[in-house]
Amino acid sequence: MAVDFFLDIPISFGHCDPAGIVFYPNYYRWFDRCFHTFLQERGGGHRALCAKLDARGIGLMDSGARFPAPASEGDLMTLSMTIAEWGSKTLRLAYEGQVSGRTVVEGFEVRGMFVERDGRLRAGDMAELRAALSGV
Amino acid sequence: MAVDFFLDIPISFGHCDPAGIVFYPNYYRWFDRCFHTFLQERGGGHRALCAKLDARGIGLMDSGARFPAPASEGDLMTLSMTIAEWGSKTLRLAYEGQVSGRTVVEGFEVRGMFVERDGRLRAGDMAELRAALSGV
Amino acid sequence: MAVDFFLDIPISFGHCDPAGIVFYPNYYRWFDRCFHTFLQERGGGHRALCAKLDARGIGLMDSGARFPAPASEGDLMTLSMTIAEWGSKTLRLAYEGQVSGRTVVEGFEVRGMFVERDGRLRAGDMAELRAALSGV
Amino acid sequence: MAVDFFLDIPISFGHCDPAGIVFYPNYYRWFDRCFHTFLQERGGGHRALCAKLDARGIGLMDSGARFPAPASEGDLMTLSMTIAEWGSKTLRLAYEGQVSGRTVVEGFEVRGMFVERDGRLRAGDMAELRAALSGV
């Protein structure tokens, strides 16, 4: 599978916990930031896309991450994002973060596009989002 | 499976994103906080336990969470934690967050106890941690 | 000056940095959470108040905090909030966090109520907010 | 005063609150990250400097920030840091964040270098840190 997006994350003091390694919820913040930066570059950003597609948000349904090795202050992590699968109502993203060629995090997000129809929030059709991200 | 620990999380404005719902990495911060509060009450806290067991930390190996419904500002979430499984080198924790009886997050953490032996970090034996948490 | 609101903050592992003490931006998150919890209890919450007063938000204009002593994992901080001054367009809040009677943080926020008038965001009249918080 | 360091901060969805603007404690996280990136580039990083100078940390004594204009999702903020004053026991840093030439945050940090002497934490002499940052 080809990687669809990269984001460099320089690990800073404030990302780390008293054990001196990255406090793990930060990895999820970076997954989210990677996806939103991708939206920015490919589709004008989350807000513009939501306006265009009459959606409330492109939010999370499922997520996960495992941590084969620790990362800490001063490390430069390269986070890669791959579009793993477009479902009819879901988009699955795969992430991998490496520091000097060593994998420190491997994870995924499953996202839906939430639309308000007849006064209720529902998972919208992903074909429109896919088209808006132009040929991804 | 009996629930082993509870933590009330009042959802605040600052926990939420521009879509008005909880920014999902916060759920993982709360999982972590729930576990550490449990350590505090059962074993005197992470620092004391690490000193006692000559460990560097009781850290993450794997994690995951799905989000069946959104939560937002003003909601009171009750987060329950269950010790799902003690392995020889791992501890699996199951979490569920509810707002007014509706599940907003369901997840897990797999933790190991990292010890330094012969100059290398390894996953230590969980029997000692289990004993230190006295009969859990 | 009488204290207007209290919030207990149990300091957790994940709030602390590699030096083992609270990562200081967290104190500002707690100031914000304290204020919003106060709004919740006195005025039904930020969202309800904004709807009532036709405002976009009750946001920050200025802030500051000094840190006379460190706090760390396992400490229970009691954060007190005092309404220091109602200006015509501003509300000044004073905060103090103590652990076992020792002050660990002392700070303030200056907030305005942002309203959209003639297509522009402006600082609204605080008299309405003050009234909505009923006799504060 | 000449600017001593720059850091670009692309504002992401997850940095913003339900009002759609940056949740203000994030500005302080970025101040801290800017300073630590500066330490990385000039002195090998916080950990290396602390080892060299036998210090526990280069931490916060005071801080403040005001917010003349909002920033939101998709904005690119350029954060500049200036060494405002070397005191004998303190270092004062001034920060300014701009988006497209408009100032969105203006703040400061006062830091000390904490050393353990005779079993107590004290504010150490800043001359050593200044020298280690080679001619700043």
Side-chain angles (χ1 to χ4, degrees):
Chain A
M1 229 161 7
V3 167
D4 293 287
F5 201 70
F6 282 103
L7 198 64
D8 273 343
I9 308 282
I11 310 284
S12 184
F13 178 81
H15 299 135
C16 299
D17 62 24
I21 63 175
V22 171
F23 182 54
Y24 89 94
N26 285 320
Y27 287 110
Y28 289 101
R29 293 201 305 110
W30 296 326
F31 290 177
D32 186 87
R33 177 140 71 91
C34 188
F35 177 70
H36 276 90
T37 308
F38 167 78
L39 291 187
Q40 191 75 30
E41 303 203 358
R42 286 288 185 89
H46 183 260
R47 193 163 37 188
L49 280 163
C50 286
K52 186 178 180 176
L53 303 174
D54 191 22
R56 278 278 297 278
I58 302 165
L60 268 286
M61 303 172 74
D62 200 356
S63 65
R66 53 187 209 84
F67 314 98
S72 62
E73 182 195 339
D75 286 343
L76 177 64
M77 182 177 82
T78 300
L79 183 60
S80 63
M81 187 193 90
T82 305
I83 293 186
E85 191 187 4
W86 282 103
S88 64
K89 307 272 186 186
T90 57
L91 166 58
R92 187 183 178 93
L93 304 152
Y95 296 93
E96 185 176 0
Q98 294 199 337
V99 172
S100 312
R102 167 182 51 109
T103 299
V104 298
V105 65
E106 201 163 28
F108 72 94
E109 291 179 328
V110 177
R111 289 176 178 265
M113 184 172 65
F114 300 100
V115 295
E116 211 171 314
R117 300 290 179 262
D118 313 318
R120 287 195 46 199
L121 270 193
R122 297 158 185 276
D125 192 339
M126 280 312 214
E128 294 177 54
L129 176 61
R130 188 173 187 175
L133 295 173
S134 53
V136 174
Chain B
M1 228 161 12
V3 167
D4 292 289
F5 201 69
F6 283 102
L7 198 64
D8 274 342
I9 308 282
I11 310 284
S12 184
F13 178 81
H15 298 134
C16 299
D17 62 24
I21 63 175
V22 170
F23 182 55
Y24 89 94
N26 286 321
Y27 287 111
Y28 289 102
R29 294 202 303 111
W30 296 325
F31 289 176
D32 186 87
R33 179 142 68 90
C34 188
F35 177 69
H36 276 89
T37 309
F38 167 78
L39 291 188
Q40 192 75 32
E41 303 203 357
R42 285 292 184 88
H46 183 259
R47 193 163 39 190
L49 280 163
C50 285
K52 185 177 180 177
L53 304 174
D54 192 20
R56 276 280 295 281
I58 303 165
L60 269 287
M61 303 172 74
D62 200 355
S63 65
R66 52 186 210 84
F67 313 99
S72 62
E73 180 196 341
D75 285 344
L76 176 64
M77 182 176 82
T78 299
L79 183 61
S80 62
M81 186 192 90
T82 305
I83 293 186
E85 192 187 3
W86 283 102
S88 65
K89 305 273 186 184
T90 56
L91 166 58
R92 187 182 178 93
L93 303 153
Y95 296 93
E96 184 176 1
Q98 294 200 336
V99 173
S100 311
R102 166 181 53 108
T103 299
V104 298
V105 63
E106 200 162 30
F108 72 93
E109 291 179 328
V110 176
R111 290 175 177 265
M113 184 171 67
F114 301 101
V115 294
E116 212 171 313
R117 299 290 180 262
D118 312 317
R120 288 195 47 200
L121 269 194
R122 298 159 184 275
D125 191 339
M126 281 310 214
E128 293 177 56
L129 177 60
R130 188 173 187 175
L133 295 173
S134 52
V136 174
Chain C
M1 228 161 11
V3 167
D4 293 288
F5 201 69
F6 283 102
L7 199 63
D8 274 342
I9 308 282
I11 310 283
S12 184
F13 179 82
H15 299 134
C16 299
D17 63 24
I21 63 175
V22 171
F23 183 54
Y24 89 95
N26 286 321
Y27 287 111
Y28 288 101
R29 294 200 304 111
W30 296 325
F31 289 177
D32 186 88
R33 178 141 69 91
C34 188
F35 178 69
H36 276 90
T37 309
F38 167 78
L39 291 187
Q40 191 76 31
E41 302 204 356
R42 286 289 185 89
H46 183 259
R47 193 163 38 188
L49 280 163
C50 285
K52 185 178 180 176
L53 303 174
D54 192 20
R56 277 280 295 280
I58 302 165
L60 268 287
M61 304 172 75
D62 200 355
S63 65
R66 52 187 210 84
F67 313 99
S72 62
E73 180 196 342
D75 285 344
L76 176 64
M77 182 176 82
T78 300
L79 183 60
S80 63
M81 187 193 89
T82 305
I83 293 186
E85 192 187 2
W86 283 102
S88 65
K89 307 271 185 185
T90 56
L91 166 58
R92 187 182 179 93
L93 303 153
Y95 295 93
E96 183 176 2
Q98 295 199 335
V99 172
S100 311
R102 167 182 53 108
T103 298
V104 297
V105 64
E106 200 164 30
F108 72 93
E109 292 179 327
V110 177
R111 289 176 177 264
M113 184 171 66
F114 300 101
V115 294
E116 213 171 313
R117 299 287 180 265
D118 313 318
R120 287 195 46 200
L121 270 194
R122 297 159 184 276
D125 192 339
M126 281 312 214
E128 294 176 56
L129 177 60
R130 188 173 187 175
L133 295 173
S134 51
V136 173
Chain D
M1 229 161 9
V3 166
D4 293 287
F5 201 70
F6 283 102
L7 198 63
D8 274 343
I9 308 281
I11 310 284
S12 184
F13 178 81
H15 299 134
C16 300
D17 63 23
I21 63 175
V22 171
F23 183 54
Y24 89 95
N26 285 321
Y27 287 111
Y28 288 101
R29 293 202 303 113
W30 296 325
F31 289 176
D32 186 87
R33 178 141 69 92
C34 188
F35 177 70
H36 276 90
T37 309
F38 167 79
L39 291 188
Q40 191 76 31
E41 303 204 356
R42 286 290 185 88
H46 183 261
R47 193 164 38 188
L49 280 163
C50 286
K52 186 179 180 176
L53 303 174
D54 192 20
R56 276 280 297 279
I58 302 164
L60 268 286
M61 303 171 74
D62 200 355
S63 64
R66 53 186 209 84
F67 314 98
S72 61
E73 182 194 339
D75 286 344
L76 177 64
M77 182 176 83
T78 299
L79 183 61
S80 63
M81 187 193 89
T82 306
I83 294 186
E85 191 187 4
W86 283 103
S88 65
K89 306 273 186 185
T90 57
L91 165 58
R92 187 183 178 93
L93 304 152
Y95 296 93
E96 184 176 0
Q98 294 199 337
V99 173
S100 311
R102 167 183 52 108
T103 298
V104 298
V105 63
E106 201 163 30
F108 72 93
E109 292 179 328
V110 177
R111 288 176 179 264
M113 184 172 65
F114 300 100
V115 295
E116 211 171 315
R117 298 289 180 263
D118 312 317
R120 287 196 45 200
L121 270 193
R122 297 158 184 276
D125 191 339
M126 281 311 215
E128 294 177 54
L129 177 61
R130 189 174 187 174
L133 295 173
S134 52
V136 173

